[in-house]
Amino acid sequence: MKYMLLMQFSAATVDFPTIDTWTPEEIQAHIAFMRDTNTKLAAAGELVDAQGLAMPETAKIVRSHSGGTPVVTEGPFPETKEWVAGWWIVDCEPSERAVEIAAAVSAAPGPGGAPLNMPIEVRQVMSAPTEEL
Amino acid sequence: MLVEDLLRELAPQVVGVLTRRFGDFTAAEDAVQEALLAATVQWPQEGVPGNPRGWLIQVAQRRMTEEVRSEQARRRREDQVARQQPADRRVAPAADTVDAAGQDDTLTLLFLCCHPALSPASALALTLRSVGGLTTAEIARAFLVPEATMGQRISRAKQRIKASGVPFRMPGPDGWAQRLDAVLHVLYLIFNEGYASSVGDDLQRVELTREAIRLTRAVHAALPEDSEVTGLLALMLLTHARSPARTGPGGELIPLAEQDRGRWDGAAIAEGIALITAALPVGPVGPYQVQAAIAAVHDEAATAEQTDWPQILALYGVLERISENPVVSLNRVVATAMVHGPQAGLAALDALPSDPRLTGHHRVTVVRAHLLEMAGDRAGAAELFRAASRATASLPERHHLAIRAARLADPGP
């Protein structure tokens, strides 16, 4: 089964300071942890994809209805309550394993090396119908 | 020599021979890919044949003949092959006959694959496959896209070339310079793609930087008198030489000024400096030579403090006059600050003509932050580094800029 692990931040769910206010050593430890996590997932044959997104400041919102010129709104959006920072797609069995991976990611080191306890949303990627149908 | 390296060297020669023989690049390219795959499987087990090039030509030619036969059966066009072949090729030559033009085929193929009719992304992919002898899967991995996507990109590129009716031969003197520019640009893009994304050590990925250097060496061997080709090869070697020192143990980027220069590749630097020293006095000086000269000045300095900034500033002045890239002006601003101090740098930054390609670009913010830091405005610099780190679309760069901001916020010892 494939699962998407969404790293979604919001003012309400995150109680740590933004990464650009940490010490250089704390940032380096965080980078090394993430890299190591991806290396391990790839070595285990579970990693499908891992991507980080550019900050919401650089986002655009596009709306269009047929026949009209698309309306493009440039970020940052003050009303943004939450934003997706990135995702992993893992292919693993059983579903508990996806939770285990999400838990490992959630505990990435932050200020003082303490686990960040980030909320990671685990969503199954929809697939072809199962044979029983 | 590794089988893999041997195959990559032979691939363009074999594609060239068959394209010449059958007059159909698209089909030749496909057939050679299959022959390469067969060799990848068989040679490591059964040993490399005595005449590897002849072996590949034979297997690919058999494959093409089968293709043509099934085509004929389908469409009743018995004379297709005959019509496409010059009269002296009606009798198939022995597989190991060396085509007189065989050695130039790499270059001819490059001109074909880097045709201006193709988008850069297509030209890159096609070049790596046809000239570099990489498999679609390897190229897909190198560019981090699904294999099916890359396969589609390559086949569409081949269709475009077929549709445009570009002949398989060297461009004439009238289009030569422009077409060579396109080839060098594609090689430079391949190198850059590899260099920019070579953070981390994914051993599954083909090293595009090495591949670009290998292909540029082949062009240099074919056109030793062309000083821009020499300049590009020197630029790649002098840049690639710093790779071992470019990332720290955790995968973080280390800027030039802070790199452990003992980890640079001395042999590559020596070769690059020899190449650019020989190229500069010959013929017109183009942007690749100037960039190589700048890289050479950096690489010649035993420590960052010993960098000959006045010379770098002068070279950026030359480069600015002959190149179209606004990033060059930003680099000249930094060099200005290194020679005349941060205030002069800030004045030069403010004096830059507005260029839509630079407006709002995070590189401008990074340069300003760097100059403020030099001027002693730690808080102002930290704020701008932070802003730039939030604006970049490169994860390693985001981390690097965040670290620079964090260092400035640190009261320090």
Side-chain angles (χ1 to χ4, degrees):
Chain A
M1 289 297 183
K2 292 194 180 74
Y3 298 89
M4 178 180 259
L5 312 183
L6 267 175
M7 195 190 254
Q8 187 143 260
F9 290 161
S10 84
T13 56
V14 172
D15 52 2
F16 53 81
T18 53
I19 194 165
D20 50 27
T21 63
W22 305 358
T23 69
E25 296 71 29
E26 288 164 351
I27 299 173
Q28 276 159 2
H30 183 82
I31 299 169
F33 173 89
M34 286 301 187
R35 202 172 85 143
D36 191 42
T37 301
N38 288 347
T39 307
K40 281 182 185 151
L41 287 173
E46 293 172 317
L47 183 69
V48 178
D49 186 34
Q51 300 292 344
L53 293 178
M55 285 294 197
E57 282 91 330
T58 62
K60 293 180 174 68
I61 290 181
V62 182
R63 300 183 73 127
S64 178
H65 52 80
S66 62
T69 315
V71 177
V72 181
T73 321
E74 303 266 349
F77 311 106
E79 70 279 8
T80 302
K81 292 283 182 290
E82 49 182 29
W83 75 92
V84 176
W87 68 80
W88 286 260
I89 295 177
V90 293
D91 192 350
C92 60
E93 299 290 346
S95 63
E96 286 75 15
R97 173 61 188 147
V99 172
E100 202 174 78
I101 297 169
V105 168
S106 168
L116 285 169
N117 187 27
M118 290 178 286
I120 305 292
E121 191 173 327
V122 179
R123 302 277 299 273
Q124 191 173 335
V125 177
M126 288 162 83
S127 55
T130 50
E131 284 156 37
E132 299 85 81
L133 280 180
Chain B
M1 192 192 262
L2 288 169
V3 164
E4 200 177 295
D5 294 340
L6 179 63
L7 289 175
R8 283 187 192 161
E9 192 176 306
L10 292 173
Q13 299 176 29
V14 179
V15 175
V17 168
L18 291 175
T19 305
R20 226 176 276 287
R21 211 167 275 182
F22 287 81
D24 184 347
F25 164 69
T26 309
E29 213 276 331
D30 275 333
V32 172
Q33 274 292 318
E34 294 191 35
L36 290 172
L37 286 174
T40 309
V41 174
Q42 288 176 35
W43 293 4
Q45 290 176 352
E46 299 163 19
V48 176
N51 177 356
R53 185 167 174 267
W55 189 98
L56 288 169
I57 292 173
Q58 208 160 17
V59 171
Q61 185 162 316
R62 201 176 305 135
R63 179 79 208 123
M64 283 189 83
T65 316
E66 285 165 13
E67 274 294 305
V68 170
R69 282 205 192 110
S70 64
E71 179 110 333
Q72 285 172 335
R74 243 193 344 263
R75 304 194 196 171
R76 301 261 169 254
R77 291 202 318 214
E78 288 85 354
D79 60 345
Q80 186 195 15
V81 183
R83 269 194 291 111
Q84 284 180 343
Q85 288 192 43
D88 63 340
R89 289 288 172 85
R90 291 278 158 80
V91 180
D96 57 354
T97 305
V98 175
D99 269 77
Q103 296 314 306
D104 304 336
D105 277 343
T106 299
L107 205 52
T108 315
L109 261 189
L110 270 172
F111 276 112
L112 190 68
C113 295
C114 303
H115 195 266
L118 297 177
S119 73
S122 300
L124 258 69
L126 193 59
T127 298
L128 287 167
R129 203 177 104 137
S130 303
V131 192
L134 271 63
T135 64
T136 305
E138 286 173 320
I139 301 166
R141 266 204 304 275
F143 287 92
L144 303 176
V145 299
E147 192 179 339
T149 306
M150 190 50 83
Q152 200 53 29
R153 196 178 290 173
I154 290 169
S155 65
R156 290 187 62 165
K158 281 160 64 177
Q159 283 160 8
R160 272 206 84 124
I161 285 186
K162 198 171 181 171
S164 69
V166 185
F168 182 71
R169 61 164 184 260
M170 294 291 234
D174 48 344
W176 175 267
Q178 187 201 354
R179 296 287 304 277
L180 182 62
D181 272 352
V183 169
L184 297 184
H185 186 59
V186 166
L187 294 174
Y188 180 71
L189 287 177
I190 292 173
F191 179 84
N192 245 352
E193 176 73 24
Y195 198 70
S197 61
S198 65
V199 176
D201 39 10
D202 182 352
L203 297 175
Q204 286 298 301
R205 286 178 68 181
V206 173
E207 277 195 71
L208 290 178
T209 42
R210 286 183 196 283
E211 193 57 29
I213 289 170
R214 195 178 70 81
L215 293 173
T216 308
R217 274 192 197 286
V219 180
H220 175 61
L223 303 170
E225 303 301 311
D226 190 294
S227 54
E228 268 300 81
V229 174
T230 311
L232 178 60
L233 180 57
L235 173 63
M236 287 179 181
L237 289 166
L238 292 164
T239 308
H240 185 61
R242 304 181 203 134
S243 287
R246 222 173 127 238
T247 47
E252 71 277 12
L253 277 177
I254 300 177
L256 187 55
E258 295 166 27
Q259 287 173 15
D260 171 2
R261 299 183 175 221
R263 298 183 63 203
W264 287 358
D265 179 347
I269 291 173
E271 190 190 357
I273 287 175
L275 284 166
I276 190 59
T277 307
L280 277 172
V282 183
V285 171
Y288 292 120
Q289 287 167 84
V290 181
Q291 289 177 79
I294 292 167
V297 176
H298 279 299
D299 289 4
E300 281 166 337
T303 63
E305 291 70 33
Q306 292 173 49
T307 306
D308 185 349
W309 283 106
Q311 197 184 349
I312 289 180
L313 179 57
L315 287 166
Y316 272 123
V318 174
L319 188 56
E320 211 171 13
R321 281 196 294 278
I322 59 175
S323 98
E324 276 292 285
N325 188 340
V327 173
V328 170
S329 306
L330 280 181
N331 291 338
R332 182 184 52 83
V333 165
V334 173
T336 302
M338 296 307 284
V339 176
H340 302 296
Q343 296 306 336
L346 286 163
L349 183 60
D350 292 330
L352 282 187
S354 73
D355 184 316
R357 289 171 295 179
L358 283 183
T359 309
H361 199 289
H362 75 276
R363 293 294 314 164
V364 181
T365 316
V366 171
V367 168
R368 191 174 292 278
H370 183 71
L371 299 178
L372 288 181
E373 182 180 1
M374 281 173 73
D377 178 0
R378 290 172 70 93
E383 192 181 328
L384 287 181
F385 276 130
R386 230 172 258 137
S389 85
R390 298 177 71 83
T392 176
S394 153
L395 195 59
E397 189 179 32
R398 182 196 293 176
H399 287 142
H400 164 68
L401 294 169
I403 287 172
R404 284 193 76 167
R407 272 193 212 150
L408 289 164
D410 229 7

